[in-house]
Amino acid sequence: MRSVAVQAFVWQLTVLVLIAAAAMVALVLKTTNDAQADARHRSLAVAAGFAHSPGVVQALQSPDPTAILQPLAEAARQGSAVDFVSVLSRSGIRYTDPVPGLIGQRAQGDIARAAAGQSFTEVFEGEPQNAVRALVPVTDAQGAVIGIVSAGVQTVDVGAEANRRLPVLIGAAAGSLALAAGGAALVSRRLRRQTHGLGPVEMTRMYEHHDAVLHSVREGVLILDADRRLVLANDEARQLLGMHPTAEGLPLDELGLDPEMTALLASGRTVTDEVHPAGNRLLAVNLRPTAVRGGPAGCVATLRDTTELRALAGRAEEAQDRLKLLNEGSARIGSTLDLTRTAQELAEVVVPRLADFVSVNLLESLLGGDEPPPGPITGAVLRRMAHQSVRAGAPEASVEVGEVAFYPEESPQAHCLATGRSELLQLADPATSAWLAADPARLAKSRAYGFHSWIEVPLIARGTTLGVVDFVRSRRPEPFETDDLVLAEELVARTAVCLDNARRFNRERTAALTLQHSLLPRRLPEQSAVEAAFRYLPADPRLGVGGDWFDVIPLSGARVALVVGDVVGHGIHASATMGRLRSAVRTLADVDLAPDELLTQLDDLVIRLAAESETDSEFATPGEVGATCLYAVYDPVSGHCCLARAGHPAPAVALPDGTAAILDLPAGPPLGLGGLPFEAVETVLPEGSLLALYTDGLVESRQRGMDAGLEALQQALTVPGLSLDTLCDRIVGTLLPDHPADDAALLLARVQRLDIGQVATWDVPADPAAVAGVRADAVRRLSAWGLEEVAFVTELVVSELVTNAIRYGGDPIQLRLIRDRTLICEVTDGSSTAPHLRRARVFDEGGRGLLLVAQLAQRWGARQTTSGKIIWCEQTLPAGV
């Protein structure tokens, strides 16, 4: 039985026996099933034939069916291969039966199916005997069931048929088994011949090979039996565990192993690469039972020396931690353009993973706005921007955040700034000890909190020194190493670039804001036409300043111009463009151009600015000049307001009755397109109406569309009883998010009317003789106003302007005096020819009238109307009037 061939033969023979037995059972079951199926077919054929025999229907319908059918049924049974043929009524009462005593009794089984007209076969178990039977209904000419024919074969006869076939089956199975056994024997003999057996030499050689492999591998192997006695230990295991050469056969407790290792081997657990100490070594242990695959009870352990590997893994883990810290610093430092926040982010990343205390200090001159010189610097006046400690509240800090400190020349900070190189310091260093000795307060804190190791790293970005960062260890016992210095330099270099970016951004933003504020109106001019208030909200600092602007410009005739505009883009360029456009609007407004004409002139200016931008690509990007503008002129005498816009949002107006709406004003093209006309609309505003001019940054944002913003603006304008300043704050607080993405400008103007008694108007005939009468009327009106003090000058001005209108102008001619903050004199005529000043020569008869008016009046001018022109002048009112 030790032969492989014999074992293979026994195995094959066993398999064949099992297969033969299974085949025998299957054949027996198949024979039994065939016999039963044959009985079903015979029973159904006999029952169906009898049920359809001539005379059966008439016999069932006769008064005594038994007398007629009993002989017929017996004859059919004897002439067929069935055990019984019975005729039943629909309810199952026997009319015929091979056993006469059963006639008249109810038959058992499923009679209802046959009574319902269904033919079927079944294996019946019951009285008078178990059988395979068939039931077939008998139907009359109309198809109604009038009886049932039952025929069948007893189960005993079916089994007998199967038994008759059994010897043949057994013989066939025995023959097959014998044939298969012979084949298995043949195969076994062939296997034995091919292997040639295993002789003593071959077995010895195999053992020697196994023994050589076992004792030459660099992994210890221990085999213990079920009683935890040492069965085998290779050379590596003896060396790793320090065991005696004759240790085989000893119990585990007597092998002299470390208690932890002994407990592990005795536990019988399944262990994979668990690290355990063994003397001065760290061993990775794998433990498995030997009886898993039918082997002898016990366990086998493999041991691998991982002492050096663990040391290398420790260094690799430290390097990985440094890399993670560097990656985290790259992600977290510089998330904003704020100097203080950036410095604090460095401190938060470093503590406690690299240092126990960190401080970030920037040059005070840098924060003052001065541009630091490139390269290292001398002197160390530093401001503490941030610090972080493993101790709550950073009690070891000698300088608080925000304070300025001077570091003497012998200090590590000053030396680091002067050389531009990092330094790794220890408390025992002579230079460090001397510096601390000169500063008793700092020395006391360093001793109290156990400072023992420093790193000083200069903040240098783009060749410019910005400050210095201190890294200190106190609670962690190990000092800083060279790897720590390299990591600190990497983090500080990243921080320096972010701080320099923040410094440059803050400087540029401050310059842009300063420019922008200098170009926007500081306060609104004094005038009587409107009561105005404004708000200007710059965008998020990260986007830079924008080019939104607004203005209130007093015009002649007590009128006022309201302006709001928006330049495309952000930054200093947008602010500068805004300033140029605002100056241009004020200049064009002084010429008293109509709103649509003013926008046309402004459009030409923007086109010229864009052309200059294209030719001067060093300072601007081609095509980046563009703007929108809304210009409105309100006349407090008539209440008329003329408006035009160039691609700007239409103004909103709130009427005194509490309703608010967006004025229907043609949009017009944005400034800078050229070639497209602008259209002005004139409307009458009731006194007390509130006009709201704004930029799109007020009503449109990422969170809200333009339509929703306009609806909110109209609702806010209808709140009664609020001052304009309060209403401005309410609108801004309602419509603007916390961090708007665009600048927003809002100008509110509540229109007012001049009292009818402040205006006097006379129609003047085109006759020089009428001048005297008009002059006298004007003097009388001035007396009624209590302005006798300016009557003489006004009389001269009226005389000159009316005379010029009669002489050089055309009908109709009209004189109007307006008493406002100044005395305004206006002469209207139907000619569009505008007068101008000229120097009259000695013998010239004319040319001195306007010169006289210019000298006597505070200011004067001319403006065109749709039917002519108006010459006007303003005089200062006497004090106290």
Side-chain angles (χ1 to χ4, degrees):
M1 290 300 296
R2 294 182 179 180
S3 169
V4 175
V6 174
Q7 292 177 356
F9 172 77
V10 172
W11 175 77
Q12 291 175 355
L13 184 61
T14 302
V15 172
L16 291 173
V17 170
L18 293 176
I19 292 175
M24 184 66 185
V25 172
L27 290 173
V28 170
L29 293 176
K30 179 68 168 57
T31 301
T32 303
N33 184 64
D34 292 342
Q36 191 178 84
D38 180 68
R40 287 176 181 270
H41 293 320
R42 284 187 287 122
S43 300
L44 182 61
V46 171
F50 190 87
H52 297 91
S53 298
V56 173
V57 174
Q58 292 79 5
L60 288 172
Q61 294 176 344
S62 66
D64 190 3
T66 301
I68 300 174
L69 295 175
Q70 177 67 17
L72 296 175
E74 284 297 305
R77 179 183 65 80
Q78 294 173 1
S80 61
V82 296
D83 292 329
F84 63 89
V85 176
S86 300
V87 181
L88 313 175
S89 67
R90 289 183 76 251
S91 60
I93 303 299
R94 290 184 176 90
Y95 289 148
T96 70
D97 195 272
V99 181
L102 296 177
I103 297 174
Q105 296 184 11
R106 181 179 298 277
Q108 298 181 3
D110 190 4
I111 304 300
R113 290 171 60 190
Q118 180 180 357
S119 301
F120 63 94
T121 62
E122 65 178 0
V123 178
F124 173 77
E125 295 181 358
E127 296 294 337
Q129 66 272 327
N130 297 335
V132 176
R133 71 176 182 177
L135 285 86
V136 178
V138 180
T139 58
D140 58 12
Q142 288 76 28
V145 178
I146 61 175
I148 300 171
V149 177
S150 173
V153 179
Q154 294 183 5
T155 305
V156 175
D157 295 337
V158 174
E161 177 65 22
N163 292 334
R164 286 194 297 270
R165 302 180 186 179
L166 188 59
V168 177
L169 297 177
I170 294 175
S176 299
L177 180 61
L179 182 61
L186 181 62
V187 170
S188 298
R189 290 184 59 189
R190 187 176 183 86
L191 177 63
R192 189 166 54 251
R193 287 197 306 269
Q194 289 180 352
T195 59
H196 302 290
L198 290 177
V201 176
E202 290 78 7
M203 293 295 295
T204 301
R205 185 181 298 114
M206 180 180 294
Y207 172 78
E208 290 175 348
H209 289 169
H210 290 176
D211 188 65
V213 171
L214 184 65
H215 292 285
S216 62
V217 295
R218 292 292 306 276
E219 189 166 312
V221 179
L222 291 177
I223 299 179
L224 303 174
D225 61 12
D227 298 329
R228 295 298 183 265
R229 289 180 175 272
L230 182 63
V231 176
L232 182 145
N234 68 348
D235 297 341
E236 187 70 13
R238 297 176 190 276
Q239 179 183 355
L240 294 176
L241 297 177
M243 292 190 303
H244 195 271
T246 60
E248 280 86 352
L250 295 178
L252 182 61
D253 297 339
E254 299 179 9
L255 296 178
L257 306 180
D258 290 341
E260 183 177 346
M261 182 64 69
T262 301
L264 174 65
L265 297 176
S267 65
R269 296 186 293 116
T270 298
V271 173
T272 301
D273 286 339
E274 281 194 10
V275 178
H276 293 271
N280 58 352
R281 300 176 184 273
L282 290 176
L283 303 181
V285 181
N286 290 275
L287 189 61
R288 296 290 188 276
T290 57
V292 174
R293 298 184 180 180
C299 63
V300 57
T302 61
L303 312 171
R304 187 172 66 256
D305 190 357
T306 62
T307 306
E308 296 181 0
L309 182 61
R310 294 290 292 182
L312 292 175
R315 288 195 291 271
E317 187 174 339
E318 291 178 1
Q320 186 176 12
D321 290 341
R322 289 190 176 94
L323 182 60
K324 288 181 179 178
L325 180 60
L326 186 59
N327 290 336
E328 182 179 346
S330 300
R332 291 181 56 184
I333 299 172
S335 61
T336 66
L337 288 172
D338 181 79
L339 287 171
T340 303
R341 182 57 197 158
T342 302
Q344 187 62 38
E345 286 170 348
L346 170 63
E348 291 174 354
V349 168
V350 169
V351 176
R353 296 168 65 178
L354 179 61
D356 298 325
F357 176 79
V358 170
S359 66
V360 182
N361 309 276
L362 297 185
L363 294 172
E364 177 63 14
S365 59
L366 178 75
L367 299 175
D370 298 336
E371 186 68 23
I377 62 172
T378 57
V381 180
L382 302 173
R383 181 181 293 273
R384 178 68 53 86
M385 300 301 297
H387 59 222
Q388 185 79 8
S389 173
V390 293
R391 301 175 178 87
E396 64 268 49
S398 300
V399 180
E400 296 300 325
V401 174
E403 292 183 355
V404 177
F406 173 75
Y407 292 86
E409 185 177 352
E410 63 274 9
S411 65
Q413 291 84 355
H415 188 263
C416 178
L417 291 173
T419 61
R421 293 192 299 269
S422 304
E423 295 186 1
L424 183 59
L425 308 172
Q426 307 296 331
L427 182 62
D429 295 340
T432 305
S433 301
W435 167 59
L436 290 176
D439 191 343
R442 195 182 299 272
L443 177 61
K445 286 206 171 188
S446 65
R447 288 178 175 176
Y449 294 102
F451 292 179
H452 61 84
S453 186
W454 275 270
I455 289 180
E456 299 289 340
V457 182
L459 281 160
I460 301 176
R462 303 177 179 95
T464 301
T465 302
L466 308 177
V468 66
V469 181
D470 301 330
F471 298 84
V472 180
R473 280 187 178 175
S474 57
R475 182 174 291 181
R476 187 183 302 189
E478 62 272 13
F480 285 116
E481 299 177 350
T482 304
D483 291 341
D484 299 321
L485 177 61
V486 173
L487 177 60
E489 289 175 339
E490 290 286 345
L491 292 170
V492 171
R494 163 71 179 174
T495 306
V497 173
C498 296
L499 288 172
D500 191 54
N501 290 339
R503 177 185 67 86
R504 292 170 181 267
F505 171 79
N506 290 335
R507 186 184 62 185
E508 293 180 3
R509 176 170 172 78
T510 301
L513 286 175
T514 302
L515 173 63
Q516 186 184 53
H517 291 164
S518 67
L519 297 175
L520 290 173
R522 302 272 180 98
R523 62 174 182 269
L524 299 180
E526 295 182 359
Q527 39 76 41
S528 302
V530 296
E531 176 192 0
F534 66 90
R535 290 293 183 273
Y536 183 85
L537 285 305
D540 191 299
R542 293 172 294 181
L543 301 176
V545 296
D548 293 12
W549 92 90
F550 60 92
D551 214 342
V552 177
I553 307 172
L555 302 177
S556 62
R559 296 172 305 136
V560 66
L562 305 174
V563 191
V564 65
D566 186 2
V567 176
V568 175
H570 292 84
I572 293 180
H573 180 74
S575 296
T577 303
M578 176 268 289
R580 300 172 74 175
L581 294 182
R582 178 172 177 256
S583 299
V585 170
R586 294 188 70 90
T587 302
L588 295 172
D590 287 341
V591 184
D592 270 323
L593 293 178
D596 52 344
E597 295 178 2
L598 183 142
L599 291 180
T600 300
Q601 297 295 327
L602 199 61
D603 185 44
D604 293 339
L605 173 62
V606 174
I607 292 175
R608 289 196 298 271
L609 291 178
E612 293 176 2
S613 176
E614 291 178 358
T615 58
D616 191 4
S617 59
E618 180 181 356
F619 300 101
T621 302
E624 69 177 3
V625 178
T628 63
C629 184
L630 170 65
Y631 185 79
V633 176
Y634 173 70
D635 187 351
V637 177
S638 63
H640 286 208
C641 184
C642 186
L643 309 95
R645 60 179 176 141
H648 200 83
V653 61
L655 300 177
D657 60 3
T659 62
I662 303 298
L663 287 181
D664 186 9
L665 186 62
L671 299 175
L673 295 183
L676 299 175
F678 299 97
E679 184 178 352
V681 171
E682 188 165 319
T683 184
V684 177
L685 298 177
E687 185 174 7
S689 299
L690 184 61
L691 195 62
L693 285 71
Y694 53 89
T695 57
D696 57 358
L698 180 71
V699 295
E700 188 176 22
S701 65
R702 296 187 183 95
Q703 297 81 19
R704 182 186 58 241
M706 174 72 80
D707 293 340
L710 293 177
E711 182 67 26
L713 175 62
Q714 295 176 62
Q715 293 178 1
L717 289 174
T718 57
V719 178
L722 297 181
S723 66
L724 290 186
D725 283 330
T726 304
L727 187 57
C728 280
D729 293 335
R730 179 183 179 88
I731 292 174
V732 169
T734 302
L735 272 67
L736 281 186
D738 293 336
H739 300 285
D742 194 7
D743 288 16
L746 172 66
L747 177 62
L748 296 182
R750 181 171 284 119
V751 300
Q752 303 176 14
R753 293 281 186 92
L754 293 182
D755 188 83
I756 191 172
Q758 295 179 259
V759 181
T761 306
W762 298 273
D763 293 328
V764 180
D767 183 0
V771 175
V774 173
R775 188 169 57 235
D777 291 340
V779 171
R780 282 192 294 272
R781 177 51 61 97
L782 293 178
S783 298
W785 285 343
L787 299 177
E788 294 86 350
E789 186 175 340
V790 297
F792 177 74
V793 174
T794 304
E795 188 177 2
L796 290 177
V797 169
V798 169
S799 178
E800 288 295 334
L801 294 182
V802 172
T803 300
N804 285 343
I806 293 173
R807 180 177 298 176
Y808 305 110
D811 291 335
I813 301 173
Q814 188 180 73
L815 169 66
R816 185 170 70 170
L817 294 180
I818 302 173
R819 181 190 175 187
D820 190 25
R821 298 178 182 271
T822 60
L823 178 62
I824 303 171
C825 178
E826 295 181 343
V827 176
T828 306
D829 67 80
S831 172
S832 60
T833 303
H836 60 278
L837 283 175
R838 64 184 180 89
R839 182 174 295 275
R841 289 171 293 188
V842 177
F843 299 104
D844 287 347
E845 294 183 1
R848 296 178 177 83
L850 285 181
L851 181 61
L852 178 63
V853 171
Q855 294 298 319
L856 295 176
Q858 180 182 358
R859 65 190 187 106
W860 76 280
R863 67 176 183 269
Q864 298 292 327
T865 66
T866 56
S867 59
K869 66 177 180 297
I870 297 176
I871 308 298
W872 57 271
C873 67
E874 294 182 3
Q875 301 175 63
T876 304
L877 295 178
V881 176

